[in-house]
Amino acid sequence: MRIRDRLSIWFMLVMLVPLLVVSGVAAWQARRELKQSTGGHLAALAAEKADAIAMTIHNRIHEASVLAATHEVRQAVREANAAYEDRDDQEITDGIAQLDAEWIETKRSGGSPTAKRILGNRTSNFLKTYQMRNSDRYGEIFLTDVRGAAIGQTMILSDYNQADESWWQAGLRVKEGSAFIDDRGYDETADALAMGIVVPVFDGDRPAGVLKINYKVREALDIVAGLNPNERTTALLVRSLGTIVAHSGEAHGDTLTTDEKAVLSLDSGGFAWYAHEDERYVMGYSPVAADISARIPNPGERKGISGEKWMPSRWWLMIQVPHAVALAAVGRFTLATLTGALVALLCAIGMALIAA
């Protein structure tokens, strides 16, 4: 081999090897930093939107507490409780049970005389007027006395006596300004996903009744639906019990993946890279800061009447993007790096030939 050819080859190698090493390290570092940056961005976005959902829930609690503190509501509770004075406890219990049985039996035929009377009384008209101000927000509103008997409603309830329900018992015990949150899932009455906010009505410093507002969770669903900047992004609102409240973006089944379930046992938000069905994803996740109780199946329950059970839960917001979409910028960077390396290599060949 001629000296000129040898010099040319060695010159190209001296230029090419460092160039390839630098280009490879740069692409690897860019990929690593972009993965960290993308995951961190999704985690921050999930936390921001989870906070927005939590704020919506806390606003609804505040609204229910304000309504429970109005003169009309407190006065209705006082008058209803006053009717129990000087009456035997067993007599009161038997009377409520009798009215409850009549109420349930006649519900399908339009309601008992007691149900119709309560639906048309002053308290119910006050609650109906309040609900009509924003009918898209509310499923129903109703009020009970200290015994759990209905004294005001915006539509006829499933039963008269609410005191045998766990949500009612929990709502009577919470502190003023707090609430028991009943994650109802799909509510047939409201024809929407619903969340019940249960707050006590106070007479002085003691709880004297319970107010419940069943909200349609459209505001929370709108936040989830808005997390779909392209067709490859999926947002999930998930109960810590492992069921899905809502999702947007690509179709998602009724069950969670193993990696999605793993998030539900964590204490705080973050991000993770995982593979599912031959495709890799990056997922940002964050818990919703609200104590929510979810309904769980209970043998022997009478839906909307008695025997229903709740379990402490919380919501998680998850935002997922496919690996290929998340790291598309790395591909562009790698292509630009290789293009630059090729141009540099051609220059190196020309310089080698000239030097040789």
Side-chain angles (χ1 to χ4, degrees):
M1 183 180 291
R2 293 182 301 174
I3 295 177
R4 175 179 177 177
D5 294 337
R6 291 179 180 178
L7 288 173
S8 299
I9 292 171
W10 280 107
F11 197 90
M12 283 187 291
L13 289 176
V14 169
M15 293 289 294
L16 180 60
V17 172
L19 185 62
L20 290 177
V21 171
V22 170
S23 298
V25 170
W28 175 82
Q29 183 67 18
R31 182 184 183 85
R32 181 173 176 273
E33 291 184 0
L34 184 60
K35 285 183 69 173
Q36 196 72 16
S37 173
T38 301
H41 170 72
L42 286 180
L45 181 60
E48 176 189 341
K49 298 307 179 181
D51 287 344
I53 293 174
M55 182 60 68
T56 298
I57 294 173
H58 290 302
N59 286 342
R60 300 290 78 82
I61 292 174
H62 176 71
E63 179 186 4
S65 298
V66 170
L67 180 59
T70 59
H71 171 75
E72 290 83 357
V73 169
R74 288 188 170 180
Q75 185 61 30
V77 168
R78 288 192 195 101
E79 292 175 0
N81 291 337
Y84 296 130
E85 294 179 2
D86 301 325
R87 292 179 59 189
D88 179 77
D89 185 73
Q90 189 60 49
E91 176 191 355
I92 295 172
T93 301
D94 292 343
I96 291 176
Q98 181 180 350
L99 291 175
D100 189 53
E102 293 174 358
W103 188 299
I104 295 170
E105 184 179 351
T106 59
K107 176 69 165 61
R108 294 183 180 274
S109 59
S112 66
T114 302
K116 294 176 181 178
R117 175 180 58 79
I118 293 175
L119 184 63
N121 69 16
R122 183 186 65 212
T123 303
S124 293
N125 288 333
F126 170 76
L127 296 178
K128 284 185 280 189
T129 300
Y130 184 89
Q131 179 171 322
M132 287 175 61
R133 296 174 185 173
N134 195 341
S135 57
D136 289 338
R137 176 182 293 178
Y138 311 106
E140 62 179 335
I141 307 174
F142 57 92
L143 178 67
T144 78
D145 59 28
V146 74
R147 291 274 186 163
I151 58 176
Q153 56 189 350
T154 56
M155 61 178 65
I156 294 179
L157 302 172
S158 299
D159 58 342
Y160 174 65
N161 180 27
Q162 308 299 319
D164 56 356
E165 295 283 6
S166 299
W167 61 259
W168 185 91
Q169 297 162 14
L172 191 68
R173 292 193 301 265
V174 299
K175 296 180 180 179
E176 191 167 9
S178 300
F180 176 83
I181 304 176
D182 167 19
D183 178 6
R184 303 175 61 80
Y186 178 77
D187 186 272
E188 295 178 357
T189 303
D191 191 24
L193 285 170
M195 171 181 288
I197 303 295
V198 188
V199 297
V201 179
F202 283 85
D203 186 2
D205 58 353
R206 61 185 180 86
V210 167
L211 174 77
K212 184 173 187 181
I213 303 180
N214 288 333
Y215 288 97
K216 300 175 183 178
V217 251
R218 286 179 179 164
E219 290 164 296
L221 299 183
D222 288 344
I223 292 173
V224 175
L227 294 172
N228 187 25
N230 60 64
E231 68 280 4
R232 302 300 307 280
T233 301
T234 302
L236 294 169
L237 187 60
V238 180
R239 299 177 182 91
S240 59
L241 301 181
T243 56
I244 298 173
V245 180
H247 67 81
S248 69
E250 291 186 339
H252 195 287
D254 294 332
T255 57
L256 300 176
T257 67
T258 301
D259 295 275
E260 290 166 347
K261 290 179 181 178
V263 168
L264 305 180
S265 61
L266 301 178
D267 295 324
S268 59
F271 68 90
W273 293 81
Y274 72 98
H276 178 63
E277 294 184 351
D278 299 325
E279 187 164 11
R280 298 180 66 194
Y281 296 86
V282 57
M283 172 174 59
Y285 51 85
S286 179
V288 176
D291 294 325
I292 299 171
S293 295
R295 294 194 176 199
I296 57 174
N298 183 41
E301 69 179 19
R302 302 170 68 191
K303 191 171 182 180
I305 297 177
S306 64
E308 293 179 322
K309 296 293 184 182
W310 285 258
M311 181 175 288
S313 173
R314 66 173 171 175
W315 285 354
W316 283 84
L317 186 63
M318 304 177 186
I319 307 173
Q320 304 170 356
V321 180
H323 184 276
V325 175
L327 298 184
V330 171
R332 293 191 294 269
F333 177 82
T334 302
L335 179 61
T337 301
L338 292 176
T339 302
L342 179 60
V343 172
L345 179 60
L346 293 175
C347 292
I349 293 173
M351 292 175 63
L353 292 173
I354 293 173

